[in-house]
Amino acid sequence: MSKITLTRYLIEHQRKNPQFTANLRLLIEVVARASKAISHAVNKGALTDILGEAGTGNVQGEAQKKLDVIANEVLLEANEWGGHLAAMASEEMDHPYFIPNQYPRGGYLLLFDPLDGSSNIDVNVSIGTIFSVLPTPEDKIPTETDFLQAGNKQVAAGYAIYGPQSLFVLTVGDGVHGFSLDRELGSWVLTQPNMRIPEETKEFAINMSNQRHWAAPVTRYINELLAGSEGPRGRDFNMRWVASMVADVHRILSRGGIFMYPWDKREPNKPGKLRLMYEANPMSFIVEQAGGKATDGTRRIMDIQPEGLHQRVAVFLGSSQEVERVTGYHAEAK
Ligand code: AHM
Ligand code: MG
């Protein structure tokens, strides 16, 4: 059978779902094409001048890497002229980028973390691009407030992972599908159709070095996992932490597990480290579409009404039984 490329998947999806617009299809194709360019840049590494610090900081006060800035530029340039977007927002920009007047304006908002897992760039460990798409009225000049929609309004979300293989993982609300970059063809080819997260798991992902700062329900949950076959769970668990959310979530999509970045006492006024709009919402959409769950310990992440573009959130996502358990521990602690 011939290979199903991303283009073919999108055209066939559109044929079956007339509400899936040509502009949304174009948008996804453009993001996938930009991800290909980012993948090539990541692959070059030290052969060109793209590693190391950019010497600038983002709105969160984090130092930007050269590749953070390059990936952000690639996504902006690829997406500004096609007529499919009204505006874009990025983890690396203080304010949204509104489509310049010289180009037509479309009915979508694109949000992205251009290069997630930045701390892994210079050590050649998997990194990725995460994106989320929200609808917006076409006939209205957009404002920053138009971005503040709950995750359940997303019409598409996905990530590209730049690892031993480059993959583009996508949901348009019809399951989760993974496409591998065929560098000879220059196409994304469907290799992981209908990705499903197993309900049960033996693997967890959390940065254990923050253990002493956690809240009681998280400590309780992790202590039970660590007690393994001698504890209340009656079986052993394994731990993995890549420190690239894309890589940790991709592993969970492939073989199950739970990913956690909880609130902790280091910065008690922040709900968590990860960003709702650029990381938690798109990953929650993907995880739910693959049969998993995603909460902030209390609420379904996709039901949170955002109050700010760069808002942070605690994250528990992955295999449904584990997410339910740790969310239940939070409820019991109240
Ligand atoms: P980034 O978007 O600046 O790369 O930060 C997000 C990353 C996630 O990919 C990852 O899960 C987390 O930060 C790792 O944090 P830590 O270094 O505290 O373990
Ligand atoms: Mg990130």
Side-chain angles (χ1 to χ4, degrees), residues 115-132:
L115 212 67
D116 177 62
S118 306
S119 69
N120 281 322
I121 296 173
D122 294 345
V123 291
N124 197 14
V125 170
S126 295
I127 47 184
T129 298
I130 310 173
F131 71 96
S132 160

Side-chain angles (χ1 to χ4, degrees), residues 91 113 116 275 279:
E91 187 178 305
D113 177 356
D116 177 62
R275 274 98 345 177
E279 294 165 326

Side-chain angles (χ1 to χ4, degrees), residues 234-252:
R235 59 194 168 96
D236 291 335
F237 285 81
N238 194 7
M239 196 202 86
R240 289 285 182 273
W241 184 251
V242 184
S244 284
M245 190 188 198
V246 270
D248 283 310
V249 170
H250 189 70
R251 186 187 58 255
I252 289 169

Side-chain angles (χ1 to χ4, degrees), residues 205-222 241 259-275 280 295-299 301 304 311-317 326 330 333-334:
I206 193 165
N207 186 338
M208 287 293 294
S209 70
N210 299 325
Q211 188 165 22
R212 70 186 188 284
H213 306 296
W214 294 336
V218 179
T219 305
R220 173 185 171 193
Y221 176 70
I222 298 292
W241 184 251
F259 170 94
M260 291 158 277
Y261 213 119
W263 169 91
D264 68 47
K265 289 198 281 269
R266 285 173 302 166
E267 291 186 281
N269 299 328
K270 291 187 183 155
K273 175 184 179 183
L274 298 176
R275 274 98 345 177
T295 76
D296 70 347
T298 310
R299 298 165 290 177
I301 286 177
I304 296 173
Q311 161 172 355
R312 296 176 190 250
V313 67
V315 175
F316 300 85
L317 60 77
V326 69
H330 283 81
K334 272 198 177 148

Side-chain angles (χ1 to χ4, degrees), residues 125-198:
V125 170
S126 295
I127 47 184
T129 298
I130 310 173
F131 71 96
S132 160
V133 183
L134 291 165
T136 194
E138 249 176 74
D139 50 0
K140 176 181 164 285
I141 296 174
T143 65
E144 190 161 327
T145 319
D146 294 319
F147 282 91
L148 304 182
Q149 306 178 44
N152 57 35
K153 298 282 191 309
Q154 292 172 103
V155 291
Y159 60 82
I161 178 167
Y162 316 116
Q165 303 119 39
S166 283
L167 270 98
F168 188 78
V169 175
L170 172 72
T171 185
V172 290
D174 183 27
V176 179
H177 309 287
F179 301 82
S180 299
L181 181 57
D182 183 329
R183 288 185 192 276
E184 281 143 37
L185 294 179
S187 319
W188 295 104
V189 177
L190 182 64
T191 46
Q192 275 103 315
N194 295 312
M195 299 175 85
R196 300 294 298 171
I197 300 177

Side-chain angles (χ1 to χ4, degrees), residues 64-132:
Q64 289 172 309
K65 303 276 185 184
K66 283 183 193 160
L67 262 174
D68 282 322
V69 177
I70 293 169
N72 196 63
E73 288 292 316
V74 167
L75 282 157
L76 290 180
E77 279 172 24
N79 279 288
E80 69 174 352
W81 51 269
H84 50 285
L85 284 182
M88 294 179 252
S90 162
E91 187 178 305
E92 302 301 342
M93 302 189 301
D94 297 9
H95 300 291
Y97 178 88
F98 298 101
I99 298 301
N101 285 336
Q102 72 212 77
Y103 303 120
R105 214 173 38 231
Y108 296 101
L109 302 170
L110 174 64
L111 301 94
F112 47 81
D113 177 356
L115 212 67
D116 177 62
S118 306
S119 69
N120 281 322
I121 296 173
D122 294 345
V123 291
N124 197 14
V125 170
S126 295
I127 47 184
T129 298
I130 310 173
F131 71 96
S132 160

